[in-house]
Amino acid sequence: MSSTYIAIDWGSTNRRAYLMASDGTVLDTLQDDRGALSLVGDDYRREVVAIRERLGVLPILAAGMVGSNRGWREAPYAPAPADLSALAGAHIRLRDDEVVILPGVSLQTDRRCDVMRGEEVQVLGAASAGLAPADALFCQPGTHNKWIRLAGGRIVDFATAMTGELFALLRAQGVLAGMLGGEVEAGPAFQRGLARGAGATDLAVALFEVRSAVLSGVLPPADAAAYASGVLIGADVGARSDISGREVHLVASGPLAPLYAAAIEAAGGRAVAVDSRAGFTAGIHRIWELIR
Amino acid sequence: MSSTYIAIDWGSTNRRAYLMASDGTVLDTLQDDRGALSLVGDDYRREVVAIRERLGVLPILAAGMVGSNRGWREAPYAPAPADLSALAGAHIRLRDDEVVILPGVSLQTDRRCDVMRGEEVQVLGAASAGLAPADALFCQPGTHNKWIRLAGGRIVDFATAMTGELFALLRAQGVLAGMLGGEVEAGPAFQRGLARGAGATDLAVALFEVRSAVLSGVLPPADAAAYASGVLIGADVGARSDISGREVHLVASGPLAPLYAAAIEAAGGRAVAVDSRAGFTAGIHRIWELIR
């Protein structure tokens, strides 16, 4: 099967490029850390040349932070509720470069606003390919964890929790820095953290307790990182009222996958793994068929 | 009246030294940013020499982070419930330097641990001098906000919220950095933040909404810092169940004082200002009389 285009999931910190066949098969992939936050201005043009040197001189269809106001060119958000057709309809085309950039999705209700870029292709693609139901709750942990609710194959609601970023900030600087270097696993210390964080209205108190508990000899220093991660992830998952007794489709890879799975189970839910790459390529191919 | 000793409130980032008369009158003061986090090892000895050059070659009685494991010499915590006598009884003496360092207070219950250093002298001193009741709730905002409950002139319970530190971290780095440079006042944006933060179990979501709301045009960029501060302080104050209909003795100076006063009022409480310096010098003088 001959290759027809290159799909790029171009996030803040990571980037995955896929060489796509006309039937949606993935023929080759590239993955690196040339995310949008590490690039400025003409970098993008050079990056695209480099990608084409590796995968072929083909049209490019890109989604994610590449289309944000910190990316290459801003692709205005498609408002929720949104499906794959809405994303396709709101693409922008950089004709000189033969690049199409997809929008993110925005939410605006009486109560709150939210935005996403990139996750929408993964979850809508997963549902369109039968990897997850068309009515489902998705959890996509990362620097910013996304909770996404699909109904009838459309994104109807979502929320972003900057859980991963808070953990990274606390580990890098401030009074807990130097205490959070230990390994984070879904063991007993993480579980105790989950219990403290779930439903907590006093997160800023619960976080200081990491220091107090270490100083008081109640928490072994080697467990402090796992406990603190548990507090933050416990608060994130525990704030949801729609998990107990339900399935949560967990779009995660690497070390966050078992941590969020444990937190979802602790909240009475059932974590079901969804492959983010398969979701992305399924979604991007539907869009490709709509806009090519 | 002749001077008899030098009292130092030696915190993490700031330091205040008081030249004390034998009746507890303050004869002179020094204030600077030579806090414990900016000093190591022999720095303390040099600092003490410099202070004595300014205020006189007198015994020194110091409280605060100077006695922590990041300070000059560790003075182990006095466990709560604790009063001024308990602090006096747990002092350590550096004989070569004619310096006495007071302990902090630790809390350990079935549910949680906490520690403080410095605030205990201020609140116990305020109560002992009649600046606040012997049964009262105190709020001492700063990098770490302390909630302290006194009963019968003893510290019986307390909690530390790292509210100020979270705001500083978010302002310095990460996805909200660059959005939080605006002025923070107790105006409408701060009040809206208070309402969002109070009682919230999803603080990590509420914080990301700052970005979403700015991107969506719902929150003017100039209001983002005030709104974010409101979310954090609203969560801090709103987590307390003991404020509505009660007095909260607010030991604060500078820009945090009106912000916490507004948050306490929004939570149905009544903020009563307490002078932290008068509290500290009253408390330290009682201790001086006990240990000299």
Side-chain angles (χ1 to χ4, degrees), chain B residues 78-89:
Chain B
D83 58 13
L84 289 170
S85 302
L87 298 182

Side-chain angles (χ1 to χ4, degrees), chain A residues 137-147 159-167 184-187 190-191 194 228-240 243 248-273, chain B residues 204-205:
Chain A
L137 176 65
F138 291 82
C139 174
Q140 286 175 277
T143 303
H144 299 148
N145 178 35
K146 300 282 181 186
W147 294 98
T160 306
M162 46 198 293
T163 305
E165 180 171 330
L166 286 175
F167 187 71
V184 178
E185 288 184 325
F190 180 79
Q191 293 284 349
L194 289 182
S229 172
V231 168
L232 284 164
I233 294 176
D236 185 348
V237 175
R240 305 285 311 184
I243 290 179
V248 178
H249 298 269
L250 182 59
V251 189
S253 57
L256 287 175
L259 300 177
Y260 271 83
I264 288 164
E265 305 286 333
R270 194 160 76 79
V272 181
Chain B
V205 171

Side-chain angles (χ1 to χ4, degrees), chain B residues 10-14 34-40 44 65-66 68 70-71:
Chain B
W10 207 325
S12 299
T13 48
N14 292 299
R34 306 287 286 160
L37 292 185
S38 67
L39 303 173
V40 289
Y44 286 98
M65 287 296 283
V66 65
S68 78
R70 291 182 167 196

Side-chain angles (χ1 to χ4, degrees), chain B residues 7-10 16 18 61-64 118 121-123 125-126 275-285:
Chain B
I8 310 180
D9 191 353
W10 207 325
R16 288 182 192 149
Y18 304 86
L61 178 53
V121 178
Q122 296 178 15
V123 299
D275 183 331
S276 64
R277 298 174 198 212
F280 180 78
T281 54
I284 208 88
H285 194 66

Side-chain angles (χ1 to χ4, degrees), chain A residues 69 77 108 112-115 144 160-162 165 169-170 173-175 199-201 204-205 208-209 212 215 218 235 239, chain B residues 69 77 108 112-115 144 160-162 165 169-170 173-175 199-202 204-205 208-209 212 215 218 235 239:
Chain A
N69 63 355
Y77 294 105
Q108 194 165 332
R112 54 185 303 280
C113 293
D114 217 316
V115 291
H144 299 148
T160 306
M162 46 198 293
E165 180 171 330
L169 290 174
L170 292 168
Q173 276 185 261
V175 76
T201 56
V205 171
F208 188 79
E209 285 166 15
S212 311
L215 290 179
V218 172
Chain B
N69 64 353
Y77 295 105
Q108 193 164 334
R112 53 185 303 279
C113 294
D114 217 319
V115 291
H144 298 149
T160 306
M162 45 196 294
E165 179 171 330
L169 290 175
L170 292 168
Q173 275 185 263
V175 75
T201 55
D202 62 345
V205 171
F208 188 80
E209 284 167 15
S212 310
L215 290 179
V218 172

Side-chain angles (χ1 to χ4, degrees), chain B residues 41 83 164 186 227 248:
Chain B
D83 58 13
Y227 178 80
V248 178

